[in-house]
Amino acid sequence: MGEVKTVSIIGLGALGVLFGHHLSKRMPREKLRIIADAERVKKYKNEGVYCNGERCSFHYVTPDELCEPADLLIFSVKYDGLKEAVQAVKNHVGENTMIISALNGITSEAVIGETYGMENMLYCVAQGMDAVKVGNELSYDHMGMLCFGDQKPGVASENVKRLAAFFDKMEVPYEVDTNMSKRLWGKFMLNVGVNQTVAVYESNYGEIQKKGPARETMIAAMREVISLSEKEGIPLTEADLNYWLDVLDTLSPEGKPSMAQDVEAKRYSEVELFSGAVLELGKKHGVPTPVNYELYHKIKHIESQY
């Protein structure tokens, strides 16, 4: 099992660029592989990919290229690209490949696990980053951290220790959490609140960091997730809500969540992962979710104008 030496990343969204750039300065170039199809690779090479003003020096591989399996595989695509990404990484997965997914929502692990099994899948949540991506340029003030752990609560597995040792060496801020399903639900609650509210108000983190209707809407949407979490057997509390509100307060007021960036660029958003999922769960448990119902329809309306 040994130490992590090769890393593969699929998806150059905010997270892929941020962590890819960070790792690229600390490990041999060919040991960090960015997986992308030939067309994308051509575009990345021509236009460049920039992180805080610096051009990233990435080693690209296409899905068909044969290679050694990675010790660590990171998914950082958008949810609608996940199925395709799962197929694209097949040459990078071996029996000892650890897999983490930094996608939003609470379902990506299961989708990846259907193909590659759950035994080497660690649950992971990225939090506290305030990156904004415009075209091929990413900028951020706070890198945030990766929280990861096993699916089952309790003791940290060998894989968790292996990943922690690698992140120590690479100076990646992280936290090991022995109750990851709760953390995933907490992050889901945060996204349901902050992503959708900032998108609908067409503003930024500053808007929901201060008292006012936007912040109230956000908290009301988050409380609907709390009532669903109880039914799903992963009960969140007001203390969890306050924990995530504190995380929000650390972000740069000018920053924006991904969904607000999508709306601004007139791209279709991940609304189905947020209020879409809340409405489904509400139906399943007979729990009313009026705030998310309203957010869902407002976002769908915005998207219908593109």
Side-chain angles (χ1 to χ4, degrees):
M1 293 280 274
E3 59 175 308
V4 174
K5 292 209 167 74
T6 52
V7 179
S8 297
I9 297 177
I10 187 158
L12 279 188
L15 273 162
V17 173
L18 189 142
F19 286 102
H21 183 62
H22 181 87
L23 293 174
S24 71
K25 297 174 151 189
R26 292 166 175 82
M27 54 191 294
R29 192 168 184 275
E30 66 289 346
K31 295 285 186 195
L32 175 67
R33 306 170 302 198
I34 309 287
I35 309 164
D37 58 51
E39 203 175 311
R40 280 204 179 98
V41 171
K42 198 171 148 188
K43 187 178 152 203
Y44 294 148
K45 284 182 171 169
N46 287 343
E47 298 173 10
V49 175
Y50 293 86
C51 184
N52 277 350
E54 202 177 328
R55 189 177 174 135
C56 300
S57 164
F58 287 148
H59 168 57
Y60 297 103
V61 296
T62 60
D64 308 328
E65 275 178 60
L66 293 174
C67 60
E68 286 290 299
D71 297 321
L72 172 64
L73 170 61
I74 303 173
F75 280 86
S76 48
V77 291
K78 280 253 185 218
Y79 192 77
D80 61 7
L82 182 59
K83 288 254 191 313
E84 197 186 324
V86 167
Q87 295 313 308
V89 301
K90 60 183 185 302
N91 290 333
H92 296 255
V93 181
E95 59 188 75
N96 293 326
T97 303
M98 287 187 289
I99 303 176
I100 61 176
S101 156
L103 275 75
N104 284 324
I106 40 181
T107 47
S108 65
E109 282 81 4
V111 175
I112 298 163
E114 271 168 33
T115 302
Y116 298 115
M118 294 302 282
E119 49 284 349
N120 283 338
M121 182 103 219
L122 293 177
Y123 277 20
C124 176
V125 159
Q127 66 182 63
M129 55 150 47
D130 53 12
V132 173
K133 191 162 179 263
V134 179
N136 59 346
E137 299 191 30
L138 179 86
S139 52
Y140 68 91
D141 291 330
H142 300 282
M143 182 172 181
M145 64 169 168
L146 292 176
C147 301
F148 63 89
D150 300 296
Q151 300 154 50
K152 293 193 174 68
V155 194
S157 64
E158 277 315 301
N159 271 347
V160 166
K161 290 172 188 158
R162 213 173 137 209
L163 187 56
F166 174 67
F167 282 166
D168 279 332
K169 200 171 150 186
M170 293 291 135
E171 303 169 275
V172 171
Y174 71 89
E175 190 179 300
V176 171
D177 190 333
T178 51
N179 190 353
M180 271 311 291
S181 20
K182 187 169 176 184
R183 175 86 61 157
L184 274 169
W185 265 83
K187 175 79 193 287
F188 172 60
M189 169 176 72
L190 174 78
N191 281 337
V192 162
V194 72
N195 260 302
Q196 304 193 116
T197 305
V198 179
V200 164
Y201 278 83
E202 298 182 0
S203 89
N204 54 22
Y205 290 129
E207 180 80 32
I208 45 92
Q209 286 167 340
K210 60 176 198 269
K211 285 200 166 74
R215 189 175 171 91
E216 279 163 27
T217 299
M218 173 183 79
I219 292 172
M222 289 167 80
R223 287 206 171 111
E224 291 182 351
V225 175
I226 293 181
S227 27
L228 292 168
S229 72
E230 289 161 4
K231 303 280 187 199
E232 287 282 311
I234 301 159
L236 296 168
T237 62
E238 283 290 309
D240 296 307
L241 181 91
N242 290 326
Y243 169 85
W244 289 100
L245 292 178
D246 288 345
V247 169
L248 271 184
D249 287 339
T250 66
L251 302 177
S252 154
E254 286 76 53
K256 307 180 168 174
S258 54
M259 196 178 214
Q261 296 178 50
D262 288 338
V263 164
E264 212 166 83
K266 296 198 181 343
R267 284 189 299 259
Y268 289 99
S269 72
E270 295 186 304
V271 67
E272 296 301 339
L273 268 187
F274 302 140
S275 48
V278 169
L279 298 182
E280 284 291 298
L281 286 164
K283 239 185 257 155
K284 174 179 156 187
H285 296 296
V287 172
T289 52
V291 180
N292 276 286
Y293 179 84
E294 199 171 318
L295 286 167
Y296 181 82
H297 289 285
K298 280 182 174 163
I299 291 159
K300 282 293 197 193
H301 176 73
I302 292 170
E303 292 182 353
S304 72
Q305 309 291 303
Y306 293 170

